[in-house]
Amino acid sequence: MSTTPTEGIEALLHEQRTFAPSPDFVAQANAGAELFEQAAADREGFWADQARKYVQWETDFGQVLDWSEAPFAKWFVGGRLNACVNAVDRHVEAGHGDRVAIHWVGEPEGDTRDITYAELHGMVQRAANALADLGVGEGDAVAIYLPMIPEAAVAMLACARLGAPHSVVFGGFSAEALHSRIEDAGAKVVITSDGGYRRGKPSGLKPAVDAALAVGETSVQHVLVVQRTGQDVEWTEGRDVWWHEALEAAAETHEAQAFDAEHPLFILYTSGTTGKPKGIFHATGGYLVQCAYTNHVVHDVHPETDVYWCTADIGWVTGHSYIVYGPMTLGATQVMYEGTPDTPHQGRFWEIVQDKKVTILYTAPTAIRTFMKWGREIPDRYDMSSLKLLGSVGEPINPEAWMWYREVIGGERCPIVDTWWQTETGAIMISPVPGVTETRPGSAQHPIPGIVAKVVDDMGQEVAKGSGGYLVLTEPWPSMLRGIWGDPARYKETYWSRFEGMYFAGDGAKLDEDGNIWVLGRVDDVMNVSGHRMSTAEIESALVSHPKVAEAAVVGAADETTGQAICAFVILRQEAVGEADEAGEGQDLVAELRNHVAKEIGPIAKPRQIMIVPELPKTRSGKIMRRLLKDVAENREVGDVTTLADSSVMSLISEGLKHGD
Ligand code: ATP
Ligand code: MG
């Protein structure tokens, strides 16, 4: 290996717009500038304060952080707590039992349930007793494979109550994916449902569990089945138990026990955008502290007055941290929605915002770009004046999508928090603090108080302003992963070996002239064109800034002269589609888009090829899977599509391209 530092990722895009929070927002905000000062003055002391502010400890902790066995951390050493008691019981004890915890909205219209904290308390106690009756105790893993129904949250909390780590598997995953996750965790019980609603139709979940358990020997002793759709299910006597019957038979009250701060709370697999998903495991204390703290400081949740809505699925980390553990630890009121944004119509989200008077909305760039594609007339039909803050997570948000979100959804009044974090980090790490930060479209901006993040070059040295490099975390944080389940060596190798003493997230980033951090996506996706290292995200953003483009994905395809060449796949906005279909128009548009990129970021970034496509391949958590597009761009057989949300997308793309030739 050469010891000379190679070039970092080139920083291409220049975005100057900034938006200060309104005086009204600042006046009511949970966090002010002093939080940054406190954290900078004494980081561990700061976290100790947050831990005692947001979490109720049965036994107080001593040492804040034990890093003596780095990279294996212990936070809040000696502290004991129960996560479920923190999320439920204590709100009832404090007299908030009548507050709605969940405004649940089913996919079929009119199918709704409001569940108060007192009702939730009743449900988690019975569920914990029912699980205990099935032999689940401290340290026993439980797999959860459910649709977005309140029982999913109840199941997670009941496990936490018993000290039984849960492993939630996204309800859209196949029997094989479920099987490997069940066995990796050694789950004793699986909690599932007969089925769930998806795009207007009931679809089965229990059959996938039956198939997963039929694969071979299994650790599973019982399957607990929630009745959701009422469809017929196969039944294995002695193994399968109806949830409603088990809860009814269970004792009404359950005395919760406290567990060590480091007791495992859950295992969760990453979304698999870059390869085989990793089983990430999180401990109880630090995780709960950082979830509640960030939900309060970044989402600015006021539990007494806000109606918060995070649109993620419970099967992803966002659903864990920002549907269950963050908001519930704060005692917030939230919306939980079962279905897709287009069922039964494309205004469903905005109708929910209007009906439930949602004040805080947290969603993903992929959803925002889809709404852009559908056109603003749809959200414009609804009254969304209740909204006060918007959030984004999951991928870089292109500046133009950010602007659309701000103008069309936020009425130019709501601060936007672009939150960078990962399954591994457990909670938000880099984000504006909405009452303090002047936001900049497309940038996650700065680490939040208590977190230290940097952009470094190949040698681990901080890059200068205006340059690109690798995003690293240089100090441990409370909600950090405690490892990869059952594989400590892989934990060290994956995250702690690239740069000495630093956590390497796998993402590229740049620092702009004002010191803001821009996450540029995976370093695996960085392209090398004639020796220039460029990120896909910046070129995608330039394409999306063209008024006819709703979404874009860029890949580097092998090229004889330049090493790699930029290939772009583009989805047009609804109103531009017809135009491109007319003879000749498509070619003109491609030329226009190529020139647009050259104008926005320079001739070096001009794509060799632009393909107009109806859809892009995405993972089940909505992230673009660039490796498949690379296969298309390099005229290869398309690789493994099993973790795609819709596997027919790839044939749609290839078909379209053949006809276009
Ligand atoms: P795998 O690690 O298996 O490939 P994954 O990284 O997609 O899957 P997650 O933990 O769900 O699994 O996603 C975390 C990643 O999502 C981050 O590393 C980053 O690439 C991306 N990401 C999340 N939030 C943002 C954001 N606000 N801006 C840019 N990228 C983001
Ligand atoms: Mg990842």
Side-chain angles (χ1 to χ4, degrees):
M1 281 265 316
S2 120
T3 48
T4 36
T6 52
E7 286 286 299
I9 302 163
E10 281 177 47
L12 300 169
L13 204 66
H14 298 281
E15 171 63 61
Q16 302 292 348
R17 292 171 284 196
T18 52
F19 298 92
S22 69
D24 285 353
F25 189 92
V26 174
Q28 62 81 63
N30 284 334
E34 65 290 348
L35 213 61
F36 288 89
E37 287 151 34
Q38 287 162 16
D42 173 11
R43 216 177 71 88
E44 288 186 19
F46 171 82
W47 280 119
D49 291 347
Q50 307 317 313
R52 294 193 178 100
K53 173 174 176 182
Y54 290 106
V55 164
Q56 177 179 305
W57 299 85
E58 184 71 32
T59 309
D60 195 19
F61 52 88
Q63 198 181 355
V64 180
L65 166 67
D66 177 358
W67 193 230
S68 60
E69 286 168 56
F72 297 91
K74 291 194 184 74
W75 280 88
F76 311 121
V77 180
R80 295 182 72 80
L81 75 164
N82 186 292
C84 179
V85 167
N86 270 279
V88 184
D89 302 36
R90 68 166 163 151
H91 308 310
V92 179
E93 279 153 26
H96 306 311
D98 292 339
R99 186 184 294 163
V100 172
I102 304 174
H103 287 296
W104 180 75
V105 180
E107 191 182 271
E109 280 178 298
D111 188 2
T112 61
R113 285 160 76 184
D114 284 346
I115 298 169
T116 64
Y117 274 97
E119 287 165 337
L120 192 60
H121 190 215
M123 291 166 84
V124 295
Q125 291 186 84
R126 281 190 182 272
N129 285 326
L131 284 168
D133 292 343
L134 294 176
V136 175
E138 180 177 350
D140 294 330
V142 173
I144 298 175
Y145 185 68
L146 283 170
M148 286 292 287
I149 53 177
E151 285 77 4
V154 172
M156 290 163 73
L157 291 165
C159 288
R161 196 174 184 88
L162 294 170
H166 52 70
S167 169
V168 181
V169 181
F170 174 55
F173 274 143
S174 65
E176 294 90 285
L178 179 60
H179 170 78
S180 65
R181 285 163 175 75
I182 288 173
E183 299 311 324
D184 189 56
K188 205 165 176 179
V189 167
V190 181
I191 307 177
T192 188
S193 69
D194 47 0
Y197 289 93
R198 199 80 193 150
R199 297 215 147 82
K201 287 191 290 287
S203 72
L205 280 177
K206 173 93 172 24
V209 176
D210 292 335
L213 299 185
V215 171
E217 256 187 67
T218 174
S219 53
V220 173
Q221 296 168 5
H222 290 288
V223 179
L224 201 48
V225 189
V226 178
Q227 203 162 38
R228 166 65 187 129
T229 57
Q231 65 201 98
D232 281 340
V233 288
E234 303 229 346
W235 207 252
T236 304
E237 284 306 329
R239 186 195 72 182
D240 299 349
V241 182
W242 283 111
W243 167 274
H244 59 273
E245 288 177 3
L247 262 67
E248 189 148 316
E252 201 178 329
T253 57
H254 176 270
E255 180 117 17
Q257 192 195 324
F259 300 100
D260 190 89
E262 287 300 313
H263 188 71
L265 182 62
F266 65 84
I267 309 162
L268 184 66
Y269 294 81
T270 56
S271 16
T273 311
T274 50
K276 187 176 178 288
K278 301 170 277 282
I280 303 302
F281 95 87
H282 281 283
T284 310
Y287 173 79
L288 208 63
V289 168
Q290 199 172 326
C291 286
Y293 160 73
T294 47
N295 200 220
H296 193 244
V297 163
V298 176
H299 297 109
D300 202 53
V301 169
H302 294 64
E304 317 75 37
T305 47
D306 278 317
V307 179
Y308 163 88
W309 182 19
C310 165
T311 68
D313 191 278
I314 217 118
W316 307 120
V317 73
T318 308
H320 282 57
S321 304
Y322 297 111
I323 294 177
V324 179
Y325 292 108
M328 292 192 184
T329 300
L330 295 178
T333 295
Q334 68 180 310
V335 169
M336 181 176 178
Y337 173 52
E338 182 184 33
T340 58
D342 55 353
T343 308
H345 57 82
Q346 293 177 336
R348 190 73 196 272
F349 267 33
W350 320 122
E351 187 177 72
I352 293 172
V353 168
Q354 172 179 283
D355 288 356
K356 302 294 176 194
K357 301 199 164 39
V358 172
T359 57
I360 301 166
L361 178 70
Y362 192 35
T363 193
T366 179
I368 297 163
R369 291 186 301 250
T370 302
F371 299 135
M372 278 172 78
K373 181 174 75 182
W374 291 342
R376 74 169 291 160
E377 357 21 289
I378 295 168
D380 280 350
R381 281 181 214 137
Y382 300 89
D383 174 9
M384 300 200 283
S385 57
S386 57
L387 287 171
K388 71 157 201 194
L389 178 123
L390 304 173
S392 171
V393 61
E395 278 185 296
I397 175 167
N398 328 93
E400 286 319 307
W402 192 103
M403 288 302 296
W404 190 92
Y405 198 27
R406 176 181 157 83
E407 284 162 12
V408 178
I409 306 303
E412 290 182 49
R413 128 194 116 251
C414 305
I416 296 179
V417 289
D418 173 7
T419 62
W420 178 87
W421 58 293
Q422 311 177 295
T423 310
E424 294 90 336
T425 69
I428 293 168
M429 304 293 283
I430 301 178
S431 167
V433 170
V436 181
T437 310
E438 287 200 8
T439 51
R440 174 157 294 179
S443 169
Q445 294 188 290
H446 52 67
I448 59 167
I451 299 301
V452 189
K454 297 203 162 101
V455 183
V456 299
D457 64 16
D458 272 325
M459 306 302 288
Q461 303 295 318
E462 266 189 89
V463 302
K465 286 180 180 169
S467 303
Y470 307 90
L471 183 60
V472 295
L473 302 165
T474 54
E475 298 289 342
W477 62 100
S479 65
M480 67 194 289
L481 73 164
R482 298 305 195 259
I484 295 180
W485 195 247
D487 201 347
R490 190 174 173 207
Y491 165 66
K492 280 192 179 172
E493 165 63 28
T494 309
Y495 305 106
W496 300 92
S497 65
R498 178 70 180 80
F499 301 104
E500 177 74 33
M502 300 179 198
Y503 171 91
F504 176 44
D507 288 333
K510 81 168 179 200
L511 212 55
D512 71 14
E513 299 295 343
D514 300 317
N516 292 304
I517 295 175
W518 290 69
V519 180
L520 299 177
R522 326 306 173 117
V523 290
D524 311 16
D525 291 335
V526 169
M527 300 172 294
N528 194 328
V529 182
S530 307
H532 297 276
R533 284 158 56 79
M534 286 184 275
S535 89
T536 52
E538 291 184 298
I539 299 168
E540 287 162 7
S541 290
L543 285 163
V544 174
S545 75
H546 189 282
K548 287 180 185 156
V549 176
E551 213 169 340
V554 164
V555 297
D559 185 282
E560 277 178 18
T561 41
T562 56
Q564 279 188 320
I566 302 168
C567 292
F569 296 78
V570 162
I571 301 184
L572 299 180
R573 293 207 199 191
Q574 215 84 326
E575 62 268 21
V577 172
E579 219 177 290
D581 283 346
E582 286 164 33
E585 285 288 316
Q587 281 318 308
D588 289 354
L589 183 58
V590 165
E592 188 180 323
L593 293 178
R594 292 183 68 224
N595 291 332
H596 178 74
V597 175
K599 186 178 104 254
E600 289 292 301
I601 53 187
I604 176 75
K606 194 169 176 172
R608 178 186 75 186
Q609 205 181 354
I610 294 183
M611 292 162 263
I612 294 170
V613 292
E615 270 306 333
L616 290 170
K618 288 182 185 154
T619 64
R620 313 255 174 153
S621 60
K623 298 178 205 234
I624 298 170
M625 247 210 247
R626 291 184 186 73
R627 66 176 169 82
L628 298 178
L629 293 172
K630 202 166 161 156
D631 291 341
V632 173
E634 294 182 342
N635 292 316
R636 249 199 319 273
E637 192 72 21
V638 171
D640 183 16
V641 295
T642 50
T643 59
L644 274 185
D646 177 357
S647 52
S648 66
V649 164
M650 285 320 292
S651 32
L652 256 176
I653 292 174
S654 327
E655 278 306 301
L657 294 179
K658 264 185 226 139
H659 295 304
D661 277 349

